[in-house]
Amino acid sequence: MGKNRDLIQILAIVMIGMFIPFLSAIAISYGFNLWKIGSTFGYFLLIFGIELGLVYLYFTITNRMANKKMGEYKPK
């Protein structure tokens, strides 16, 4: 469970780090129309969430495969 928590913390830091520059760029591009900014940021979070889910899935699958291969090399 520690590996999963570390991964979630890293991904949360990445999301927080992306929030301020992205919001600023949207505000500059669209002006300060809160409805457009909110909907654009919502789409961004949706797409980014799907991407993070795929990264997490890849991490989990490769971790299981690596653990299986390491189990084969352990002396009995």
Side-chain angles (χ1 to χ4, degrees):
M1 188 64 182
K3 292 178 188 177
N4 293 339
R5 184 173 178 171
D6 291 342
L7 181 63
I8 290 170
Q9 287 176 343
I10 290 169
L11 295 176
I13 290 170
V14 168
M15 281 187 63
I16 291 169
M18 293 176 74
F19 175 75
I20 295 170
F22 179 78
L23 190 59
S24 300
I26 294 298
I28 291 168
S29 295
Y30 290 129
F32 288 97
N33 184 349
L34 293 179
W35 180 252
K36 277 190 175 183
I37 291 172
S39 65
T40 303
F41 191 66
Y43 287 131
F44 167 76
L45 285 180
L46 179 67
I47 294 167
F48 192 65
I50 292 169
E51 180 184 355
L52 288 178
L54 292 173
V55 168
Y56 180 76
L57 183 65
Y58 173 77
F59 175 77
T60 303
I61 291 171
T62 56
N63 187 31
R64 286 183 185 166
M65 289 172 44
N67 285 337
K68 184 178 177 182
K69 285 184 180 181
M70 289 300 290
E72 293 174 2
Y73 293 119
K74 288 184 181 176
K76 296 191 177 194

